[in-house]
Amino acid sequence: MVPFALLSGCQHVGKSPAGTSIQPYVNWPATVVAEREFPAEEVIIDERRNPSKLWLMSSPENGVAQALEFFSGERVAAVQVDPIESNFPAERLDYTFAYSFTTPDGIRYASVPGVPYTVGNDRPAVYGGWKDRKGGGHEVVLGDSLFERKTVIGPHGIPKEVDTPIDVRLLFGGKSICETTAYVARTQAPLQGEAEPGFVPITKIIADYNSQKECWDTLPTLAVDLRDNTILIAIGDKVIRLSSKDLSPIGPMGSVRIIDVRE
């Protein structure tokens, strides 16, 4: 049992693409694929296929990236990166590239330029959610940090609260985390709407081991609400699909660790 406080700041809804490029009932393949090893930097969702396809994109090098279809494992080695056209909306020109590529069978895929899937570490935000059949549900929040809150005596005998990062090495067999403090994923009652009956918030550390740094990555870098009560999260060099209900994997999981955090 780990005592904790979440250093939250102001809650806000992150600029995920859920309300723009992803429709509410995407027809994903009926599989239990829960984990892929891939350095994802961008996502392309193709709803024209039946079932739909979910392409992961790597960071481009000299204008060329790699692509991996999450469900089937299909890979495309040469993904051309095209610059955003000058007539793209000015408020989104801070994003430099849009991805497009053609598979060996002649099908072309293209991303929505500038859609910010990236998880920020400045303050927590809502990146997914879960709903029951009656419309009740909860939200999935990423970007919180794990601290222990203590009261100490300051100058002139005045007490004050301080936040100290919790040492989570015991949770990882003595190994360190790569960040100053562990980042967590958690659920919360919706800011708008009703929570499902009996809702109890949960908090979990989701981590991937970084063999080069010899530490555990706990900060997600990318998240996509798949709008089917699951969420896709990139962390370290893994991309995982979790149930938005309880942040558990929807199928067999390999090296990624998911640890419950309780008060």
Side-chain angles (χ1 to χ4, degrees), residues 4-12 123-130 138-146 183-191 199-206 218 220 231 233 242-247 258-261 263:
F4 73 95
L6 297 175
L7 189 63
S8 298
C10 176
Q11 294 290 339
H12 73 292
R123 55 180 176 170
V126 176
Y127 284 91
W130 183 87
H138 59 249
E139 297 171 333
V140 177
V141 177
L142 301 176
D144 267 328
S145 302
L146 195 60
Y183 285 89
V184 297
R186 61 180 177 84
T187 60
Q188 70 175 20
L191 300 179
F199 168 70
V200 177
I202 60 174
T203 301
K204 295 188 177 185
I205 300 174
I206 302 171
T218 67
I231 186 172
I233 297 177
L242 304 176
S243 166
S244 299
K245 174 70 172 179
D246 57 6
L247 303 179
I258 301 177
I259 301 172
D260 289 308
V261 179
E263 289 191 85

Side-chain angles (χ1 to χ4, degrees), residues 144-256:
D144 267 328
S145 302
L146 195 60
F147 285 85
E148 184 176 12
R149 186 159 292 166
K150 296 180 178 180
T151 300
V152 300
I153 304 301
H156 311 294
I158 300 176
K160 64 176 182 178
E161 290 188 340
V162 297
D163 294 319
T164 304
I166 292 176
D167 187 350
V168 295
R169 285 178 293 181
L170 288 177
L171 302 177
F172 293 103
K175 295 287 187 179
S176 299
I177 58 174
C178 301
E179 300 82 19
T180 302
T181 180
Y183 285 89
V184 297
R186 61 180 177 84
T187 60
Q188 70 175 20
L191 300 179
Q192 297 179 346
E194 297 292 330
E196 72 270 24
F199 168 70
V200 177
I202 60 174
T203 301
K204 295 188 177 185
I205 300 174
I206 302 171
D208 178 46
Y209 188 67
N210 188 318
S211 57
Q212 292 184 337
K213 296 181 179 179
E214 298 185 343
C215 57
W216 287 87
D217 285 313
T218 67
L219 175 63
T221 56
L222 178 148
V224 181
D225 186 354
L226 297 184
R227 286 303 184 96
D228 62 348
N229 283 338
T230 69
I231 186 172
L232 197 76
I233 297 177
I235 187 162
D237 63 357
K238 303 296 193 304
V239 179
I240 57 176
R241 186 184 181 198
L242 304 176
S243 166
S244 299
K245 174 70 172 179
D246 57 6
L247 303 179
S248 62
I250 58 89
M253 186 70 72
S255 58
V256 171

Side-chain angles (χ1 to χ4, degrees), residues 101-113:
F101 69 98
T102 302
T103 60
D105 54 1
I107 299 174
R108 183 179 181 274
Y109 295 90
S111 69
V112 178

